[in-house]
Structures are given as structure tokens and as C-alpha cells.
Amino acid sequence: MFGTQDLWLFVVSGLLLNIAPGPDSLLIMARSASQGFKAGAAAVFGICTGTCVHILAAAIGLSAVLATSAEAFLLIKLLGAGYLLYIGIQMLRARSASDNSVGSKVPVTESVGKIFRQGLLTNVLNPKVALFFLAFLPQFVAPDAPSKAEAFLFLGAIFNFNGMLWCLFLAWSSAVASQKVQASARVKLWLNRLIGGLFITLGFKLALSRAEI
């Protein structure tokens, strides 16, 4: 279909890869646990939009440029690492509204639009994602495909849709778990800071990484 092969294996592999934890999953869990499902869903849709950018880049060959140009990879890698560090530092510096208003116990929240942009940039500025699509998708494009770009887009759409379903489930389950434990504002604040520390770790890891998948 659309010049693809082993489609069932692609779907299974994609689901397993989406389940693997990473910066995207951490952002979804952090926002869902601290602000609820709506905030987590905003992060999901931002991430999925970023994935669309990578899919289009792979289809038209921009990812190939990233794979062969050390300078381009270094630039995107440093931008991505810097953004992960920025998010991590923001989470570590997070303060509850009780620090500024007497008697209030509600944590300071981010707007849905800002969370969407965080998800988008976290995904787009990760060159490993671009290289992943360049290495993974061609394995499921038939050698005799009439349009390899069309096959790329078709496979990318399937991967992104399945990933969106998983991420929305992750957002929902994180929000429900947070409600059930009835975490206090202080607990949620320190959970945010813990995940912020993980983002800083991932930022340094990305900065020190090489171009290999």
C-alpha cells in the first residue's frame, strides 16, 4: 500500500518505539501530573506537530542533509540541548503561587499555548528524531515504490497517529494518577523540579551525543 512493505511490522515497531521513554514522554507526564489532562494533551499535540516537521523533512531529503553535514547536526543539536536545559532550569526554578499570595496553595501554571510550543520545540530541535526517521522509515519503503516521498509520508502519518494515541493515553493516565494520590501543591512542585533535573540531564546527554542513531 502506497509503496510500503511489511506494514504490520512497521506498526508494531512504531508502537514499541513510542512507548520507550524520552524527553517527549517526560514533558507530557510533567504537565499532566501538575496541570491535568488538558495541559498534557497540549504537549502531545505540540510534539505531534513537531513529528510532522521531521516526517516532511525526511520525505523531501532535509534529514539526509542533517545526516551528512556535521555542522548542521552540531547546530541543531546545540539548539535542542539548550532548549532542554532551558525547560529543565525553568522547572527547577518553579514556584508555587503560595510564595506570592497569602493562603493560596495553587501551583503556578503554564498556558496551553506555551505548553504546546514547548512540545513542538522539544521535538523539532532534537536532531536524533530527524535521523531516526531517515534510518527507520526507508526499511519499510518498497524498492519499486512509484513515489518514495509518498511512501515516507504515509508511513510517517501512521507512526505519528499511533504515537499520538499512546501519548494521549500517557497524558490521561498521568493526570488520573495525580488526582488519585491527591498530591499537594508542594509535592507537585517537587515532582516538577525532579523532572526538571531529568531534562537538564537529557540536555547534557544530547549536547555530548554524536550523530549515530
Side-chain angles (χ1 to χ4, degrees):
M1 183 182 294
F2 293 101
T4 62
Q5 60 185 2
D6 300 323
L7 190 58
W8 68 271
L9 180 60
F10 172 79
V11 171
V12 172
S13 301
L15 286 171
L16 292 175
L17 289 166
N18 276 309
I19 291 172
D24 292 346
S25 299
L26 284 176
L27 182 63
I28 293 167
M29 293 172 65
R31 293 311 181 200
S32 299
S34 61
Q35 293 183 228
F37 175 73
K38 184 178 180 180
V44 171
F45 291 126
I47 289 163
C48 289
T49 303
T51 301
C52 287
V53 173
H54 287 296
I55 293 167
L56 288 172
I60 64 178
L62 291 179
S63 292
V65 174
L66 188 62
T68 56
S69 171
E71 292 80 9
F73 180 86
L74 178 62
L75 175 62
I76 300 299
K77 182 184 72 170
L78 292 178
L79 286 173
Y83 190 68
L84 288 177
L85 290 171
Y86 168 76
I87 294 178
I89 291 171
Q90 290 294 101
M91 287 184 168
L92 285 178
R93 296 178 61 191
R95 301 176 64 188
S96 66
S98 60
D99 294 330
N100 301 314
S101 60
V102 178
S104 173
K105 297 296 182 182
V106 180
V108 172
T109 59
E110 303 285 1
S111 69
V112 170
K114 183 174 182 179
I115 294 172
F116 176 89
R117 290 191 295 273
Q118 285 179 343
L120 172 65
L121 292 175
T122 299
N123 190 275
V124 168
L125 294 178
N126 188 346
K128 292 275 185 173
V129 178
L131 297 186
F132 161 76
F133 279 111
L134 188 65
F136 183 63
L137 266 62
Q139 300 177 49
F140 301 94
V141 176
D144 58 348
S147 173
K148 290 184 170 55
E150 186 176 296
F152 260 82
L153 292 173
F154 177 67
L155 291 171
I158 292 176
F159 182 90
N160 204 17
F161 179 74
N162 290 338
M164 180 184 68
L165 293 180
W166 163 253
C167 289
L168 286 173
F169 171 76
L170 183 62
W172 172 80
S173 58
S174 298
V176 169
S178 177
Q179 289 177 352
K180 286 195 173 183
V181 299
Q182 295 182 336
S184 67
R186 184 171 294 276
V187 170
K188 289 183 178 181
L189 185 62
W190 281 102
L191 175 62
N192 224 36
R193 289 174 175 173
L194 173 62
I195 296 178
L198 291 176
F199 264 100
I200 290 175
T201 301
L202 289 171
F204 279 116
K205 184 178 178 181
L206 177 59
L208 298 174
S209 67
R210 297 182 179 181
E212 291 85 355
I213 299 293

